[in-house]
């Protein structure tokens, strides 16, 4: 089967503008689509059964079997392949040295009811997380520890921003993700088994060797404010990560990872 | 004692241009100075005995005892205080909502010979680290675990970039920092006690419960390539952090923190 590619060389082509606009949140929301860049990320997606609606490839790309596989997958699913210049790839990605492949994906579902809490003993829950790098890094950590997924509570940064997708190193395609407000999350959580674990300065309970249940939901608060105290009150267990220096908190993604690896070690 | 403040309202004032230029690495190198933003960071610096050469304060700032303390410290040390508009603070910081205080600091020393390896049982060593957020986050982790310092090996991102300073949350002022190439570092390391620990995929040795000596130097490789294999060969101990998912690595700052907290737990 031959692969058909649509050549695009004009910056003013509407497809260029549409793809480029996905770097901005308001356009992502309106279009319910997002951008992912690079052969590695797009291959992770493909292997997870997620294929872009539109694939952009550079005119002067070196041949690569993984690009061939991507093109076949997009073609088989009825997607479109645009072949374009490095300058246009730069324009879409906003980078001087763009990747030679970009994909436009439909938003992935992020409802709580899709999550299967029996899938893993570890879940990460980020509350009001603001930094896309932290969000992507937490997805990557979820993948590494075999977590059930990442639950975004309250107003978090967009998990489908270019920065978050990039920082996830592809985990955005492989780790289940949900978005909910605090009330919804609590309702869902309490409808089944699960221990809510908060990291807090307001406890003497060391995170190391605390009694984690399975599944544990590890709640990490906002980068600047930490967890609201009334959220702490809903936790089944509050633990403290030692802070021996001047500062009173870790980077949020680091705190999530230190907690997740402790629970993983316990759960074996 | 009265505090004297120099009013600056013109964008073209050379002091504005000089401060603003410090957002770029080439100017930082030439001037051997760097920028730090915000009352929190500047207060961390002051409490560590590090005072900016120049302090920029907003005309319409709210009174704050920590700003008063900063102004007194700068004045006592013969530094200059510029009082300026929010627009000029925006121009210097490159942000729409600038902090109301900014400081211009002389570069901090980063030679290996300043480090005292008896100071702590944990040290972080980052090799060819490229991301300023990761570098700042590792400094913050060093503070949290009471590490002796962060050693940057080979060509790393500038630790005095605005992004790295910000991500460190002030730890750039409190955590000893050194820069060296691999050969220099090894020479320094082997001139005294110290176990070099590498994280690697090429071992079955789990990081958890491995026999860490004191001091341990935890070596974290470049974000994209990991550690060069000939560097691994120099390690006294190679350990593996479990990776249960699709990806074969963690974020570098996360890997450093997971390792550092394991060593901290062992060393008590």
């Amino acid at each position: 089967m031959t692969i058909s590619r649509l050549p695009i060389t004009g910056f003013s082509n509407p497809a260029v503008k549409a793809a480029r606009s996905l770097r901005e949140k308001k356009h992502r929301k309106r279009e319910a689509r997002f951008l992912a860049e690079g052969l590695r990320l797009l291959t992770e997606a493909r292997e997870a059964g997620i294929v872009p609606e539109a694939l952009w490839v550079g005119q002067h790309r070196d041949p690569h079997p993984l690009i061939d596989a991507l093109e076949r997958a997009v073609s088989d699913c009825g997607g479109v392949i645009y072949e374009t210049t490095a300058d246009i790839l730069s324009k879409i990605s906003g980078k001087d040295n763009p990747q030679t492949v970009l994909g436009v994906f439909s938003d992935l579902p992020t409802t709580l009811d899709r999550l299967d809490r029996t899938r893993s003993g570890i879940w990460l829950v980020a509350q009001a997380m603001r930094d896309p790098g932290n969000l992507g890094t937490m997805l990557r950590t979820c993948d590494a520890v075999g977590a059930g997924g990442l639950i975004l509570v309250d107003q978090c940064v967009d998990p489908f921003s270019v920065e978050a997708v990039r920082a996830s190193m592809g985990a955005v395609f492989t780790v289940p993700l949900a978005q909910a407000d605090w009330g919804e999350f609590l309702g869902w959580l309490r409808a089944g088994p699960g221990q809510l674990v908060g990291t807090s300065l307001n406890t003497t309970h060391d995170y190391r060797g605390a009694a984690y249940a399975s599944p544990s939901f590890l709640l990490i608060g906002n980068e600047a404010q930490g967890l609201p105290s009334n959220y702490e009150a809903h936790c089944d267990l509050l633990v403290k990560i030692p802070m021996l220096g001047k500062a009173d908190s870790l980077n949020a993604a680091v705190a999530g990872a230190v907690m997740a690896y402790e629970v993983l070690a316990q759960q074996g």
Side-chain angles (χ1 to χ4, degrees), chain A residues 41-196:
Chain A
L41 257 68
L42 268 63
T43 298
E44 288 281 355
R46 181 179 58 76
E47 290 178 347
I50 301 170
V51 174
E53 293 181 356
L55 178 69
W56 292 77
V57 297
Q59 272 172 347
H60 302 295
R61 66 195 178 280
D62 294 323
H64 196 296
L66 289 174
I67 297 182
D68 297 344
L70 264 175
E71 290 192 327
R72 269 195 309 277
V74 171
S75 188
D76 288 351
C77 294
V80 58
I81 302 172
Y82 298 114
E83 189 168 50
T84 193
T85 65
D87 284 349
I88 286 178
L89 288 176
S90 273
K91 180 170 176 177
I92 296 174
S93 73
K95 292 198 292 190
D96 290 340
N97 296 302
Q99 304 270 0
T100 52
V101 293
L102 299 174
V104 173
F105 291 84
S106 286
D107 272 2
L108 305 173
T110 60
T111 54
L112 275 174
D113 57 21
R114 293 172 50 255
L115 301 181
D116 170 11
R117 76 179 78 197
T118 65
R119 195 174 163 264
S120 172
I122 308 176
W123 296 75
L124 285 181
V125 186
Q127 184 263 332
M129 177 157 286
R130 304 309 298 270
D131 184 86
N134 282 343
L135 197 157
T137 299
M138 286 185 82
L139 283 167
R140 190 174 174 190
T141 299
C142 282
D143 171 76
V145 299
L150 174 65
I151 301 170
L152 303 176
V153 165
D154 296 341
Q155 194 61 48
C156 289
V157 67
D158 181 3
F160 303 121
S161 72
V162 172
E163 297 79 11
V165 169
R166 189 185 298 146
S168 84
M169 297 289 279
V172 71
F173 296 111
T174 58
V175 171
L177 186 64
Q179 295 181 291
D181 68 28
W182 177 247
E184 284 176 288
F185 166 67
L186 271 189
W188 175 86
L189 177 71
R190 298 311 183 194
Q195 178 191 42
L196 185 60

